[in-house]
PDB file of all heavy atoms in Angstrom:
ATOM      1  N   HIS F 952    -165.272 -34.429  77.133  1.00 97.00           N
ATOM      2  CA  HIS F 952    -165.359 -34.501  78.586  1.00 97.00           C
ATOM      3  C   HIS F 952    -164.902 -33.181  79.205  1.00 97.00           C
ATOM      4  O   HIS F 952    -164.032 -32.488  78.657  1.00 97.00           O
ATOM      5  CB  HIS F 952    -164.469 -35.637  79.127  1.00 97.00           C
ATOM      6  CG  HIS F 952    -164.989 -36.991  78.852  1.00 97.00           C
ATOM      7  ND1 HIS F 952    -165.878 -37.639  79.682  1.00 97.00           N
ATOM      8  CD2 HIS F 952    -164.757 -37.850  77.818  1.00 97.00           C
ATOM      9  CE1 HIS F 952    -166.162 -38.829  79.184  1.00 97.00           C
ATOM     10  NE2 HIS F 952    -165.496 -38.986  78.064  1.00 97.00           N
ATOM     11  N   ARG F 953    -165.445 -32.866  80.353  1.00 96.00           N
ATOM     12  CA  ARG F 953    -165.073 -31.613  81.029  1.00 96.00           C
ATOM     13  C   ARG F 953    -163.621 -31.616  81.459  1.00 96.00           C
ATOM     14  O   ARG F 953    -162.967 -30.567  81.524  1.00 96.00           O
ATOM     15  CB  ARG F 953    -165.961 -31.372  82.241  1.00 96.00           C
ATOM     16  CG  ARG F 953    -165.707 -32.332  83.393  1.00 96.00           C
ATOM     17  CD  ARG F 953    -166.401 -31.917  84.663  1.00 96.00           C
ATOM     18  NE  ARG F 953    -166.030 -32.820  85.758  1.00 96.00           N
ATOM     19  CZ  ARG F 953    -165.653 -32.434  86.944  1.00 96.00           C
ATOM     20  NH1 ARG F 953    -165.572 -31.138  87.208  1.00 96.00           N
ATOM     21  NH2 ARG F 953    -165.358 -33.298  87.874  1.00 96.00           N
ATOM     22  N   GLY F 954    -163.042 -32.794  81.764  1.00 96.00           N
ATOM     23  CA  GLY F 954    -161.662 -32.864  82.223  1.00 96.00           C
ATOM     24  C   GLY F 954    -160.638 -32.817  81.121  1.00 96.00           C
ATOM     25  O   GLY F 954    -159.436 -32.668  81.382  1.00 96.00           O
ATOM     26  N   GLU F 955    -161.074 -32.939  79.863  1.00 96.00           N
ATOM     27  CA  GLU F 955    -160.153 -32.867  78.726  1.00 96.00           C
ATOM     28  C   GLU F 955    -159.802 -31.425  78.401  1.00 96.00           C
ATOM     29  O   GLU F 955    -160.605 -30.519  78.593  1.00 96.00           O
ATOM     30  CB  GLU F 955    -160.770 -33.508  77.493  1.00 96.00           C
ATOM     31  CG  GLU F 955    -161.052 -34.991  77.581  1.00 96.00           C
ATOM     32  CD  GLU F 955    -161.677 -35.491  76.302  1.00 96.00           C
ATOM     33  OE1 GLU F 955    -162.885 -35.243  76.106  1.00 96.00           O
ATOM     34  OE2 GLU F 955    -160.978 -36.131  75.489  1.00 96.00           O
ATOM     35  N   VAL F 956    -158.598 -31.222  77.883  1.00 97.00           N
ATOM     36  CA  VAL F 956    -158.215 -29.929  77.313  1.00 97.00           C
ATOM     37  C   VAL F 956    -157.956 -30.204  75.838  1.00 97.00           C
ATOM     38  O   VAL F 956    -156.927 -30.762  75.471  1.00 97.00           O
ATOM     39  CB  VAL F 956    -156.967 -29.330  77.991  1.00 97.00           C
ATOM     40  CG1 VAL F 956    -156.603 -28.013  77.352  1.00 97.00           C
ATOM     41  CG2 VAL F 956    -157.214 -29.139  79.485  1.00 97.00           C
ATOM     42  N   LEU F 957    -158.901 -29.806  74.995  1.00 98.00           N
ATOM     43  CA  LEU F 957    -158.874 -30.168  73.584  1.00 98.00           C
ATOM     44  C   LEU F 957    -158.246 -29.069  72.738  1.00 98.00           C
ATOM     45  O   LEU F 957    -158.727 -27.931  72.726  1.00 98.00           O
ATOM     46  CB  LEU F 957    -160.293 -30.448  73.087  1.00 98.00           C
ATOM     47  CG  LEU F 957    -161.055 -31.579  73.786  1.00 98.00           C
ATOM     48  CD1 LEU F 957    -162.487 -31.627  73.296  1.00 98.00           C
ATOM     49  CD2 LEU F 957    -160.356 -32.901  73.562  1.00 98.00           C
ATOM     50  N   LEU F 958    -157.211 -29.430  72.008  1.00 96.00           N
ATOM     51  CA  LEU F 958    -156.654 -28.477  71.044  1.00 96.00           C
ATOM     52  C   LEU F 958    -157.598 -28.310  69.862  1.00 96.00           C
ATOM     53  O   LEU F 958    -157.604 -27.280  69.194  1.00 96.00           O
ATOM     54  CB  LEU F 958    -155.283 -28.958  70.561  1.00 96.00           C
ATOM     55  CG  LEU F 958    -154.193 -29.037  71.650  1.00 96.00           C
ATOM     56  CD1 LEU F 958    -152.880 -29.533  71.041  1.00 96.00           C
ATOM     57  CD2 LEU F 958    -154.009 -27.672  72.311  1.00 96.00           C
ATOM     58  N   GLY F 959    -158.400 -29.321  69.642  1.00 96.00           N
ATOM     59  CA  GLY F 959    -159.389 -29.275  68.574  1.00 96.00           C
ATOM     60  C   GLY F 959    -159.903 -30.657  68.271  1.00 96.00           C
ATOM     61  O   GLY F 959    -159.111 -31.604  68.157  1.00 96.00           O
ATOM     62  N   ARG F 960    -161.208 -30.826  68.179  1.00 97.00           N
ATOM     63  CA  ARG F 960    -161.814 -32.087  67.802  1.00 97.00           C
ATOM     64  C   ARG F 960    -162.943 -31.766  66.836  1.00 97.00           C
ATOM     65  O   ARG F 960    -163.804 -30.928  67.115  1.00 97.00           O
ATOM     66  CB  ARG F 960    -162.347 -32.813  69.038  1.00 97.00           C
ATOM     67  CG  ARG F 960    -163.026 -34.155  68.742  1.00 97.00           C
ATOM     68  CD  ARG F 960    -163.285 -34.918  70.024  1.00 97.00           C
ATOM     69  NE  ARG F 960    -162.017 -35.330  70.644  1.00 97.00           N
ATOM     70  CZ  ARG F 960    -161.900 -35.761  71.892  1.00 97.00           C
ATOM     71  NH1 ARG F 960    -162.984 -35.800  72.681  1.00 97.00           N
ATOM     72  NH2 ARG F 960    -160.728 -36.122  72.381  1.00 97.00           N
ATOM     73  N   VAL F 988    -165.150 -28.954  68.672  1.00 98.00           N
ATOM     74  CA  VAL F 988    -164.969 -28.492  70.053  1.00 98.00           C
ATOM     75  C   VAL F 988    -163.498 -28.141  70.224  1.00 98.00           C
ATOM     76  O   VAL F 988    -162.619 -28.889  69.788  1.00 98.00           O
ATOM     77  CB  VAL F 988    -165.370 -29.569  71.084  1.00 98.00           C
ATOM     78  CG1 VAL F 988    -165.259 -29.005  72.502  1.00 98.00           C
ATOM     79  CG2 VAL F 988    -166.765 -30.084  70.833  1.00 98.00           C
ATOM     80  N   THR F 989    -163.240 -26.997  70.861  1.00 98.00           N
ATOM     81  CA  THR F 989    -161.849 -26.613  71.130  1.00 98.00           C
ATOM     82  C   THR F 989    -161.747 -25.866  72.456  1.00 98.00           C
ATOM     83  O   THR F 989    -162.648 -25.095  72.824  1.00 98.00           O
ATOM     84  CB  THR F 989    -161.282 -25.732  70.020  1.00 98.00           C
ATOM     85  OG1 THR F 989    -159.949 -25.326  70.348  1.00 98.00           O
ATOM     86  CG2 THR F 989    -162.126 -24.497  69.772  1.00 98.00           C
ATOM     87  N   ASP F 990    -160.643 -26.115  73.152  1.00 98.00           N
ATOM     88  CA  ASP F 990    -160.311 -25.380  74.382  1.00 98.00           C
ATOM     89  C   ASP F 990    -159.097 -24.492  74.165  1.00 98.00           C
ATOM     90  O   ASP F 990    -158.539 -23.965  75.125  1.00 98.00           O
ATOM     91  CB  ASP F 990    -160.029 -26.373  75.524  1.00 98.00           C
ATOM     92  CG  ASP F 990    -161.239 -27.228  75.884  1.00 98.00           C
ATOM     93  OD1 ASP F 990    -162.330 -26.644  76.034  1.00 98.00           O
ATOM     94  OD2 ASP F 990    -161.095 -28.457  75.981  1.00 98.00           O
ATOM     95  N   ALA F 991    -158.701 -24.305  72.898  1.00 98.00           N
ATOM     96  CA  ALA F 991    -157.461 -23.591  72.599  1.00 98.00           C
ATOM     97  C   ALA F 991    -157.701 -22.198  72.022  1.00 98.00           C
ATOM     98  O   ALA F 991    -156.743 -21.543  71.611  1.00 98.00           O
ATOM     99  CB  ALA F 991    -156.627 -24.416  71.625  1.00 98.00           C
ATOM    100  N   ARG F 995    -159.197 -19.629  79.960  1.00 97.00           N
ATOM    101  CA  ARG F 995    -160.098 -19.627  81.110  1.00 97.00           C
ATOM    102  C   ARG F 995    -160.147 -18.247  81.765  1.00 97.00           C
ATOM    103  O   ARG F 995    -161.163 -17.847  82.313  1.00 97.00           O
ATOM    104  CB  ARG F 995    -159.675 -20.710  82.104  1.00 97.00           C
ATOM    105  CG  ARG F 995    -159.979 -22.116  81.578  1.00 97.00           C
ATOM    106  CD  ARG F 995    -159.548 -23.214  82.518  1.00 97.00           C
ATOM    107  NE  ARG F 995    -160.342 -23.261  83.751  1.00 97.00           N
ATOM    108  CZ  ARG F 995    -161.509 -23.874  83.869  1.00 97.00           C
ATOM    109  NH1 ARG F 995    -162.085 -24.460  82.809  1.00 97.00           N
ATOM    110  NH2 ARG F 995    -162.148 -23.922  85.039  1.00 97.00           N
ATOM    111  N   ARG F1149    -167.188 -26.452  79.834  1.00 98.00           N
ATOM    112  CA  ARG F1149    -165.995 -26.127  80.609  1.00 98.00           C
ATOM    113  C   ARG F1149    -165.671 -24.676  80.263  1.00 98.00           C
ATOM    114  O   ARG F1149    -165.739 -24.278  79.096  1.00 98.00           O
ATOM    115  CB  ARG F1149    -164.892 -27.094  80.203  1.00 98.00           C
ATOM    116  CG  ARG F1149    -163.495 -26.628  80.384  1.00 98.00           C
ATOM    117  CD  ARG F1149    -162.493 -27.597  79.737  1.00 98.00           C
ATOM    118  NE  ARG F1149    -161.153 -27.079  79.922  1.00 98.00           N
ATOM    119  CZ  ARG F1149    -160.354 -27.413  80.935  1.00 98.00           C
ATOM    120  NH1 ARG F1149    -160.776 -28.291  81.820  1.00 98.00           N
ATOM    121  NH2 ARG F1149    -159.160 -26.889  81.048  1.00 98.00           N
ATOM    122  N   ARG F1152    -164.353 -23.257  76.849  1.00 98.00           N
ATOM    123  CA  ARG F1152    -164.583 -24.223  75.762  1.00 98.00           C
ATOM    124  C   ARG F1152    -165.512 -23.642  74.710  1.00 98.00           C
ATOM    125  O   ARG F1152    -166.539 -23.047  75.044  1.00 98.00           O
ATOM    126  CB  ARG F1152    -165.152 -25.522  76.313  1.00 98.00           C
ATOM    127  CG  ARG F1152    -165.624 -26.537  75.268  1.00 98.00           C
ATOM    128  CD  ARG F1152    -165.837 -27.918  75.879  1.00 98.00           C
ATOM    129  NE  ARG F1152    -164.545 -28.517  76.200  1.00 98.00           N
ATOM    130  CZ  ARG F1152    -164.416 -29.636  76.898  1.00 98.00           C
ATOM    131  NH1 ARG F1152    -165.493 -30.263  77.370  1.00 98.00           N
ATOM    132  NH2 ARG F1152    -163.211 -30.139  77.138  1.00 98.00           N
TER     133      ARG F1152
END
Side-chain angles (χ1 to χ4, degrees):
H952 288 272
R953 70 169 184 133
E955 295 179 283
V956 179
L957 300 174
L958 296 179
R960 179 170 293 165
V988 184
T989 177
D990 297 312
R995 288 179 68 84
R1149 154 189 179 93
R1152 171 165 288 171

